[in-house]
Amino acid sequence: MLIDKKTAKKVLSQLLGSGGQFGEIFTQRKVSNNIRLDDNKIENASSGFEVGCGLRLIYKDSTYYAYIDSIEEAKLLESAKILRAAVNNSNINKPLALNDSYSSYNVNILKHPDGIAPEIKKELLLNVNKTARNKSENIFQVTAALSDTEEEVLIANSEGVFSKDFYVKTFLAVSIIAVKGTEVRTGYKSLAKARGFELFEEKKPQEVAAEAADMAINMLDAINAPVGILPVVIGPGFGGVIFHEACGHGLEADAIVKNASVFKDKLGCRIASEIVNAIDDSTLPYHWGSYKFDGEGSPSQRNVLIENGILKSYLLDRKASKKLSLPLTGNGRRQSYRDIPFPRMSNTFINTGSEKPELIIGSIKKGIYAKEFSGGQVDPATGDFVFGISEGYMIENGKLGSPIKGASLIGNGPEILDKIEAIGNDLDYSPGFCGKNGQSITNEVGQPTIKISAITVGGTGA
Amino acid sequence: MVDLLKQKNKKSDTELARKISLFIDKSKIDEYEIYISNSIDNEIEIFGGEVESLSYSDSKGIGIRVFKEKKIGYSYVSSFEENKIRDCIEKAVQNSKITNEEAINGLPLKNEYRYEKGSDIEKYLYNEDFFKASIEDKIELSKNLERKAKGKDKRISGVDSLNYSDNFSEVTMLNSFGFEGTYRNTSSFLFLNIISKDKGDTSTGFSFSYERDPQKLDLEKIAEDASNKSLMLLGSKKIKSVSSDILLDSLVASQFLGVIASILTADSVQKGKSLFKDKIGEKIFSKNINIFDNGIMKEGFSSKPFDGEGVNKGNTQIFKDGILKTFLYDCYTARKDKTLSTGNAVRASYKSTPSVGVSNFYLEPYLSHSFENILKSIDEGFYVIDIIGLHSGANPITGDISVGAKGLWIKNGCFDFPVKEVTIATDILSFCKKIESVGNDLKFFPSGGFIGSPSLHIKDITISGI
């Protein structure tokens, strides 16, 4: 137990002592391990231990926040006293009695990664290296990183929330460089789950290595990407990053409150083609973006964002929920006790459709198949976005053709959502990290194969 | 809100570092290094004339690096409790058991430093006046910026984000070869992104400023830059795909330069991840371009007296008249290339092990070339005001760059109309070859280190539109 109810109550009373309207304690203890292989050797092994507490006080529309690297009662009380000096209101609220929060999200961790011997982790990475290098003589460099964290979180607030959570996360990433003549291409794959080392029983590290290697090898024969407007098929899994960037961020309610989103005042309106159904679900067991409680102690839940093209919900934290008078969605997340929570996605995906992926590709005479992206960026105020394609192919007469390099897709979120013409039956997910306002959190993107009727492709070819 | 003076007058952590070294069982390890950082941060976010959020932190941490039989282990801890520190040391020792044994692993020796300790950079990193601004002053300054920005033009519909942040930090290092060092740093940063709307079109524009003392932040200039950028782009249209000259705004040019900087570290070169491998002595730029990594620049926000493993920092010229002269080194990569460390071991925080990175990395301006003169010399081209997607659109290993861009079309040396939703694509080596002219308006962009470039005129780049 990080802190008990008695301590929590004392600190919350101290916090509200100058008339603040909402007080919160976020305590966290975290152990982490990172091992990195590069250039055929284990280059680095690092471990960390952090413990600390973030205190939040809200008065009117202002949030006051402080954190310390300690969870000792005396230090928490001292910090609460410093923080409350920011508020001066004679109407003093008392914190409500604390009650254990309930969440339906329950998982069972079998192999705690902090307990796995470093030698076993080392072997895993050496195997990844060997597997990737054995794929082809063109494999030039392999970099692989294995990291795991185990963290305990306890959140208590003046409205009676007392939420306890324990997260275990394991992450393997493999980067490959392949070289043939003067051509240099890269490949990347990751495997990440909110679970222990048993994740490698479901999928072998060697499979991840092989997929990353294949990607780099396939791209060695890439031709320059074409330029101009073309139909584009986006592959399942990581292709969902396009929805995450082009739409998801605009649905995060802090952007709505600030009038900085193209989706403001659009609840109940059609914002996408009728075949689009999109979901944010933080309850998918063991998924990378799942949790029991969000960073404010609200239980995780499944939220329908878009149903048959109609906007159904935003992603909210407590502050936006009060401001917009909309129910909580369990999306108030934060990187650590050092950070103020705000609305974030969890596992966000376009839901499965009915079409066969090969028929979707088959329907295009000339276009592009974007299988993997290196990421993307969006300006939520305008909806303009850009995505870099890391593995892509030409589509010629309904068939996949040459791989293409140096391609990016540029467009506008709302316009693209309307141009989704077909959705496949092959929903898949892909883990990653999302950065916003300097905070990085875990989440998953996802989608089946989808077809966009027209989008600008930026390359250097003809 | 917090007693900064108490912090200012606090003794350095050298005593603590010495105490920690006593906890280390010298029979279990051969060499060790202790890194302690203390940091006080304030962040203020203003929205709608009010404080949206205000946060304060006082954080600290210890990173311990050990070498045993030429193998490295690392561990960090955010607590100063003795038993936690002892656990941290033990974890570092355990970690050293699985890393690779290499003869060149180990702490830097004095004769491996390229630069003598000659600068007095410490005194420029830290400004006593920093402590004179109260939290109320900083709130007022931020609110003032919002008012200034909104008052610039009727078409400015709001502020997307307005963030003030400042930092006072102290770094202390000690190693078993007798190195002891400490330095203090103050910085304040103000960032503004505004939204303009006109006739159904929306555009955004950002600007920012850094100072050692918050009272020196030029609010008028930040408001002016952000509103100009945003207003200039209103009513922008898409254009047909074309190959054309481009003129990169200095902040955009700095971001491109950042991609180039990332593959000039000896680490990326030695691992075969750099296009510049085997290119020392070659002319990479067609023009006489000079590029420096200056770790002891007075006005540089990445300046420090010593690097992440205690080696003196200095000023390294990487390109001279367009010719590649050297890479950037830490101690390990320098031993590998049988040269000296340029003092480029960087640590993002106490949580990270040292790795090779840039400090204040910049392309030297051509003092006689003003932006206006370069603009006038372009018959037809694209002035790029902002780019998006550089992180995902640039692959420093393959050299491919493809990013989204917005800006103004240039005709007969003048701005013609605003342009949006295009991409510009090139590769690093062609980009270097195609630089036609360099401006005199050097600006720095924070990304990893501090990267600076003047405006750049680039010939013949593929622009992808409709």
Side-chain angles (χ1 to χ4, degrees):
Chain A
M1 180 79 98
L2 287 156
I3 54 169
D4 59 20
K5 282 183 185 154
K6 209 175 126 203
T7 303
K9 188 93 192 256
K10 265 197 225 169
V11 177
L12 289 169
S13 299
Q14 175 77 276
L15 257 184
L16 294 189
S18 63
Q21 288 151 332
F22 174 81
E24 177 194 71
I25 311 169
F26 180 97
T27 53
Q28 186 183 26
R29 185 185 287 127
K30 179 174 174 180
V31 291
S32 49
N33 297 290
N34 292 289
I35 304 180
R36 188 180 150 89
L37 176 140
D38 201 354
D39 208 14
N40 276 320
K41 57 182 189 266
I42 303 291
E43 186 180 71
N44 195 359
S46 165
S47 304
F49 174 85
E50 292 162 86
V51 62
C53 171
L55 297 174
R56 183 160 64 135
L57 178 63
I58 299 180
Y59 176 61
K60 291 189 173 163
D61 282 336
S62 299
T63 298
Y64 303 95
Y65 197 82
Y67 78 79
I68 49 169
D69 299 303
S70 169
I71 52 166
E72 283 170 50
E73 184 181 304
K75 290 196 174 155
L76 296 186
L77 287 168
E78 190 194 322
S79 298
K81 204 172 162 188
I82 295 173
L83 192 59
R84 80 178 204 188
V87 175
N88 186 7
N89 168 27
S90 56
N91 187 8
I92 293 171
N93 296 301
K94 283 232 166 348
L96 301 179
L98 295 168
N99 287 303
D100 289 332
S101 308
Y102 169 80
S103 167
S104 61
Y105 185 80
N106 273 302
V107 288
N108 187 17
I109 303 299
L110 301 172
K111 294 181 177 170
H112 285 264
D114 193 43
I116 303 283
E119 287 73 16
I120 292 176
K121 295 177 180 174
K122 173 184 175 176
E123 276 312 305
L124 185 154
L125 290 178
L126 292 175
N127 259 324
V128 162
N129 186 43
K130 203 166 86 187
T131 308
R133 287 182 187 271
N134 285 343
K135 283 295 278 190
S136 155
E137 57 185 16
N138 296 121
I139 300 293
F140 174 74
Q141 195 55 279
V142 179
T143 307
L146 178 65
S147 51
D148 55 72
T149 59
E150 294 197 30
E151 53 188 298
E152 221 183 317
V153 166
L154 189 145
I155 306 163
N157 73 29
S158 58
E159 291 176 7
V161 164
F162 194 77
S163 304
K164 280 172 283 183
D165 206 344
F166 186 77
Y167 311 97
V168 172
K169 286 175 181 163
T170 309
F171 179 74
L172 170 70
V174 183
S175 302
I176 304 285
I177 302 174
V179 176
K180 190 161 86 180
T182 56
E183 282 298 309
V184 181
R185 295 293 125 200
T186 56
Y188 173 85
K189 277 281 171 185
S190 67
L191 175 63
K193 286 278 164 86
R195 70 189 307 183
F197 250 54
E198 63 271 26
L199 110 129
F200 296 119
E201 286 157 19
E202 203 176 279
K203 184 165 183 173
K204 293 266 173 274
Q206 292 90 321
E207 287 175 59
V208 184
E211 286 171 13
D214 283 340
M215 179 174 162
I217 296 163
N218 289 342
M219 296 307 289
L220 279 173
D221 300 316
I223 56 170
N224 287 331
V227 172
I229 294 183
L230 289 169
V232 173
V233 175
I234 301 173
F238 196 61
V241 72
I242 206 158
F243 180 79
H244 169 106
E245 297 286 354
C247 182
H249 280 296
L251 297 178
E252 289 167 345
D254 49 338
I256 305 292
V257 170
K258 284 187 168 180
N259 196 9
S261 166
V262 286
F263 299 110
K264 188 181 159 74
D265 300 326
K266 291 278 166 69
L267 281 180
C269 300
R270 199 172 77 81
I271 60 158
S273 136
E274 280 169 7
I275 53 172
V276 176
N277 290 284
I279 288 163
D280 180 89
D281 190 348
S282 48
T283 68
L284 297 170
Y286 305 108
H287 279 244
W288 185 237
S290 294
Y291 39 85
K292 198 166 184 154
F293 298 101
D294 71 5
E296 306 183 293
S298 308
S300 55
Q301 64 184 61
R302 181 180 173 92
N303 298 296
V304 175
L305 304 175
I306 299 173
E307 190 174 58
N308 303 324
I310 310 284
L311 179 60
K312 288 293 183 185
S313 176
Y314 297 130
L315 299 163
L316 299 124
D317 64 355
R318 299 183 77 92
K319 204 168 174 179
S321 148
K322 283 217 167 67
K323 195 93 191 166
L324 299 170
S325 303
L326 290 168
L328 287 169
T329 60
N331 291 89
R333 303 183 65 191
R334 54 176 134 203
Q335 185 178 309
S336 76
Y337 63 88
R338 300 184 174 95
D339 305 290
I340 296 178
F342 49 85
R344 303 298 292 266
M345 288 171 258
S346 62
N347 306 298
T348 313
F349 54 95
I350 295 178
N351 212 355
T352 195
S354 55
E355 298 196 39
K356 287 190 175 138
E358 38 310 355
L359 294 182
I360 296 178
I361 294 169
S363 72
I364 291 174
K365 204 160 168 350
K366 187 191 175 198
I368 284 191
Y369 179 69
K371 191 176 174 199
E372 294 286 343
F373 293 90
S374 49
Q377 198 182 338
V378 69
D379 181 346
T382 60
D384 294 339
F385 66 73
V386 167
F387 297 92
I389 300 176
S390 55
E391 184 179 5
Y393 300 85
M394 291 300 300
I395 301 175
E396 276 144 3
N397 298 319
K399 296 225 153 42
L400 291 190
S402 306
I404 50 168
K405 64 182 176 186
S408 59
L409 301 180
I410 182 162
N412 180 273
E415 283 174 28
I416 291 306
L417 283 175
D418 206 39
K419 288 182 180 161
I420 298 180
E421 255 183 7
I423 298 184
N425 58 8
D426 52 345
L427 172 63
D428 198 5
Y429 308 90
S430 184
F433 294 88
C434 171
K436 179 178 164 186
N437 303 352
Q439 292 189 40
S440 170
I441 54 154
T442 58
N443 51 23
E444 271 186 20
V445 300
Q447 67 166 43
T449 300
I450 65 166
K451 175 183 170 183
I452 295 173
S453 57
I455 186 165
T456 303
V457 178
T460 53
Chain B
M1 214 168 137
V2 59
D3 191 357
L4 275 170
L5 287 177
K6 200 171 86 189
Q7 290 301 327
K8 190 180 81 174
N9 297 326
K10 175 177 102 50
K11 274 201 295 186
S12 82
D13 288 315
T14 309
E15 283 304 319
L16 175 66
R18 287 181 192 149
K19 201 173 129 197
I20 293 170
S21 68
L22 299 178
F23 300 158
I24 296 174
D25 180 349
K26 312 293 186 295
S27 69
K28 279 187 177 169
I29 57 129
D30 302 324
E31 299 168 25
Y32 63 85
E33 168 194 271
I34 298 162
Y35 179 98
I36 305 176
S37 83
N38 258 296
S39 172
I40 296 178
D41 294 270
N42 283 298
E43 274 182 52
I44 301 165
E45 193 189 351
I46 300 291
F47 183 68
E50 295 299 328
V51 173
E52 169 78 13
S53 68
L54 190 160
S55 80
Y56 152 77
S57 68
D58 178 356
S59 66
K60 57 192 186 309
I62 305 167
I64 295 173
R65 191 160 68 132
V66 303
F67 295 88
K68 172 73 178 167
E69 287 156 2
K70 296 292 172 188
K71 294 156 122 189
I72 311 178
Y74 194 81
S75 185
Y76 63 85
V77 62
S78 76
S79 162
F80 282 12
E81 286 170 42
E82 183 176 330
N83 63 332
K84 294 289 188 309
I85 295 172
R86 287 185 187 276
D87 286 350
C88 177
I89 296 167
E90 183 54 31
K91 275 258 189 182
V93 173
Q94 290 305 319
N95 281 333
S96 76
K97 292 184 178 161
I98 59 160
T99 61
N100 210 57
E101 177 187 331
E102 269 188 278
I104 58 171
N105 275 338
L107 296 170
L109 293 159
K110 279 265 156 53
N111 62 7
E112 293 176 301
Y113 296 12
R114 178 173 299 185
Y115 302 106
E116 301 262 334
K117 168 95 184 99
S119 84
D120 52 355
I121 190 68
E122 288 96 321
K123 65 179 189 205
Y124 297 98
L125 309 183
Y126 171 78
N127 187 333
E128 289 266 338
D129 292 339
F130 177 85
F131 300 98
K132 288 184 187 154
S134 69
I135 195 79
E136 288 76 18
D137 295 338
K138 295 167 189 172
I139 292 171
E140 196 38 53
L141 169 163
S142 309
K143 285 182 176 173
N144 200 357
L145 175 62
E146 193 189 34
R147 282 193 295 269
K148 277 187 195 293
K150 282 186 171 169
K152 285 280 163 203
D153 194 285
K154 270 188 287 196
R155 291 167 292 172
I156 292 171
S157 65
V159 166
D160 170 59
S161 54
L162 195 167
N163 293 293
Y164 169 87
S165 58
D166 64 29
N167 165 275
F168 163 63
S169 61
E170 184 179 76
V171 167
T172 303
M173 273 183 74
L174 177 154
N175 75 27
S176 55
F177 284 180
F179 175 85
E180 276 189 7
T182 184
Y183 60 88
R184 288 174 159 197
N185 192 82
T186 58
S187 66
S188 28
F189 177 60
L190 193 53
F191 175 88
L192 171 70
N193 189 33
I194 59 171
I195 306 175
S196 297
K197 287 190 175 156
D198 191 35
K199 299 182 189 115
D201 192 34
T202 303
S203 67
T204 58
F206 75 89
S207 181
F208 60 84
S209 182
Y210 275 92
E211 291 293 343
R212 296 279 176 205
D213 165 14
Q215 296 151 113
K216 293 222 169 74
L217 291 164
D218 188 345
L219 307 186
E220 191 54 43
K221 192 166 182 321
I222 301 172
E224 183 78 26
D225 284 356
S227 61
N228 277 349
K229 267 194 197 173
S230 160
L231 293 169
M232 266 197 267
L233 292 165
L234 275 174
S236 56
K237 33 184 198 187
K238 302 180 188 182
I239 54 165
K240 285 222 159 69
S241 301
V242 64
S243 234
S244 172
D245 282 13
I246 58 172
L247 173 56
L248 299 179
D249 179 78
S250 52
L251 284 182
V252 173
S254 314
Q255 295 175 63
F256 274 93
L257 197 64
V259 179
I260 296 174
S262 70
I263 49 170
L264 287 164
T265 64
D267 181 65
S268 61
V269 175
Q270 290 171 357
K271 286 173 180 163
K273 297 177 183 177
S274 172
L275 298 165
F276 296 121
K277 186 178 190 291
D278 302 326
K279 289 209 162 63
I280 294 280
E282 274 185 40
K283 191 146 168 96
I284 304 292
F285 294 89
S286 50
K287 300 284 170 187
N288 286 343
I289 302 279
N290 294 311
I291 293 181
F292 297 87
D293 183 81
N294 186 351
I296 49 169
M297 199 167 100
K298 285 174 192 164
E299 57 278 27
F301 278 80
S302 282
S303 294
K304 291 171 180 68
F306 53 85
D307 75 354
E309 45 186 10
V311 175
N312 293 337
K313 293 196 71 81
N315 186 9
T316 308
Q317 179 156 18
I318 304 164
F319 287 94
K320 185 163 191 285
D321 298 333
I323 297 167
L324 179 61
K325 300 305 254 186
T326 183
F327 299 116
L328 298 172
Y329 291 95
D330 65 355
C331 176
Y332 172 90
T333 54
R335 284 174 186 163
K336 207 164 191 170
D337 274 8
K338 302 195 167 52
T339 182
L340 301 174
S341 170
T342 55
N344 281 90
V346 301
R347 304 167 85 122
S349 79
Y350 65 87
K351 293 186 199 172
S352 35
T353 52
S355 63
V356 196
V358 300
S359 30
N360 304 295
F361 180 99
Y362 69 96
L363 196 155
E364 191 176 62
Y366 284 9
L367 294 175
S368 57
H369 286 202
S370 70
F371 177 82
E372 288 71 24
N373 285 341
I374 298 176
L375 177 64
K376 271 190 201 139
S377 74
I378 300 173
D379 289 336
E380 179 143 37
F382 180 37
Y383 169 49
V384 184
I385 296 178
D386 199 9
I387 51 170
I388 63 168
L390 185 68
H391 171 68
S392 56
N395 186 332
I397 294 172
T398 64
D400 297 326
I401 300 178
S402 173
V403 295
K406 49 190 181 179
L408 301 169
W409 197 252
I410 302 169
K411 205 145 197 184
N412 302 323
C414 297
F415 296 136
D416 196 7
F417 59 89
V419 173
K420 67 172 177 184
E421 261 187 63
V422 295
T423 68
I424 47 181
T426 182
D427 66 90
I428 291 175
L429 292 175
S430 316
F431 177 87
C432 296
K433 286 268 180 299
K434 288 174 174 177
I435 296 182
E436 177 68 15
S437 185
V438 175
N440 62 2
D441 51 347
L442 174 66
K443 278 195 200 111
F444 282 85
F445 192 88
S447 99
F450 232 67
I451 316 274
S453 174
S455 314
L456 297 176
H457 173 190
I458 323 277
K459 296 290 269 186
D460 192 30
I461 295 284
T462 311
I463 301 173
S464 178
I466 51 179

